[in-house]
Amino acid sequence: MKINAKKIAMLALLTTLGLIAFMIEGLLPPLFFPGAKMGLSNIFSLLTLVLFGLPESLLVVAARTILGSLFVGNVSMLIYSFSAGIVSVVLSRLLLLAFPRISLLCISVFSAVAHNCVQCLVFCAITQTTLIMGYLPYLALIGVLAGIIVGFAVIFIIKGIPLAYFVKLTGGKEIKKQNQETED
């Protein structure tokens, strides 16, 4: 991972935007049952993965989850968000490697469902009970909805900002390929 001032600034911006989305989403009522959220901050994790790659995306997820839990004063939330965020980003990258023609929408949906599953598994490990698994089908459905929202947001960002900007920002190798696939 090559670091320069431009990349540090972009990663800080993406982390900050993710934090802002997280804080705003915290003000909204939960989706359908307590704790269920759309995961709008994951827009910036997926965007970082597409623009820069896995190490940078892991850095954004780590910074966003640590700072977000400190800002809202719920440090116990860090255990769930951090582990689920890391696993979902790694799985997203593996999907991109294994299936180069897969759409960002599919990756986002898979990532959101995986995020919810990991959070349930972490809860089971901490509490030594499997009662939360009764919610897993509902969480998976909410994950599909959240993944669709996040996926479309990333696609709109990539299509809405001129390709020349992304090429200049990242060197253009990954984004050119990804942009061509979203146009097909």
Side-chain angles (χ1 to χ4, degrees), residues 116-183:
N116 289 343
C117 290
V118 170
Q119 284 186 325
C120 282
L121 291 173
V122 169
F123 181 83
C124 289
I126 290 172
T127 62
Q128 299 295 310
T129 181
T130 58
L131 293 175
I132 192 75
M133 290 302 186
Y135 283 119
L136 198 52
Y138 304 108
L139 289 173
L141 287 173
I142 291 171
V144 169
L145 175 65
I148 290 170
I149 292 168
V150 168
F152 274 127
V154 172
I155 290 168
F156 289 141
I157 289 169
I158 290 172
K159 287 187 178 226
I161 297 176
L163 182 62
Y165 177 75
F166 288 126
V167 170
K168 187 177 178 185
L169 179 68
T170 65
K173 295 174 189 167
E174 184 70 25
I175 194 64
K176 281 183 184 176
K177 183 175 79 173
Q178 193 70 33
N179 193 41
Q180 289 170 350
E181 290 170 9
T182 57
E183 289 175 357

Side-chain angles (χ1 to χ4, degrees), residues 39-58:
L40 296 177
S41 59
N42 293 319
I43 293 168
F44 304 100
S45 302
L46 182 58
L47 187 60
T48 304
L49 181 65
V50 171
L51 292 177
F52 294 103
L54 183 61
E56 293 86 349
S57 186
L58 291 172

Side-chain angles (χ1 to χ4, degrees), residues 54-103:
L54 183 61
E56 293 86 349
S57 186
L58 291 172
L59 184 65
V60 167
V61 168
R64 179 178 51 83
T65 56
I66 291 168
L67 292 172
S69 67
L70 292 173
F71 287 170
V72 298
N74 188 356
V75 180
S76 65
M77 174 186 73
L78 177 63
I79 298 166
Y80 302 104
S81 297
F82 185 82
S83 56
I86 296 297
V87 169
S88 64
V89 166
V90 169
L91 289 175
S92 296
R93 181 60 184 151
L94 290 174
L95 277 175
L96 279 170
L97 290 174
F99 305 101
R101 303 245 343 132
I102 194 169
S103 73

